[in-house]
Amino acid sequence: MTTLWHQVLRTMSQPGAAPDDDLLARAAADIALRDHPHPPADAETVLEIARAEFAAVLTAGQAQAALDRARGLTGPEAGPPG
């Protein structure tokens, strides 16, 4: 995850550049899983963290995909799309 945080710092420090929403979603999911183990973090938690920490407005689909990726889930065990 160190690489993730280097990418976040790089994208957030570029003046005038739009941050990568998917990258910020992954970072918010990382925080959510670390800070909210019980009850388990959900997409709404990821959305709240993205707004508070990065001023990023994500879709529920982006939040769920990032959360699934952070948990290492793919396929049928992943959350619903969209």
Side-chain angles (χ1 to χ4, degrees):
M1 280 296 156
T2 302
T3 302
L4 170 64
W5 290 103
H6 286 197
Q7 291 173 332
V8 168
L9 290 173
R10 192 173 25 235
T11 194
M12 297 291 286
S13 66
Q14 295 175 357
D20 180 335
D21 286 344
D22 289 332
L23 178 66
L24 297 180
R26 287 174 44 210
D30 183 53
I31 293 169
L33 291 178
R34 183 183 63 229
D35 292 352
H36 301 277
H38 302 289
D42 59 10
E44 186 60 37
T45 304
V46 174
L47 292 171
E48 290 173 15
I49 291 169
R51 278 191 299 267
E53 297 295 325
F54 308 117
V57 179
L58 308 174
T59 67
Q62 286 173 306
Q64 187 63 55
L67 193 56
D68 291 343
R69 203 170 330 143
R71 287 182 173 139
L73 299 179
T74 57
E77 66 274 6

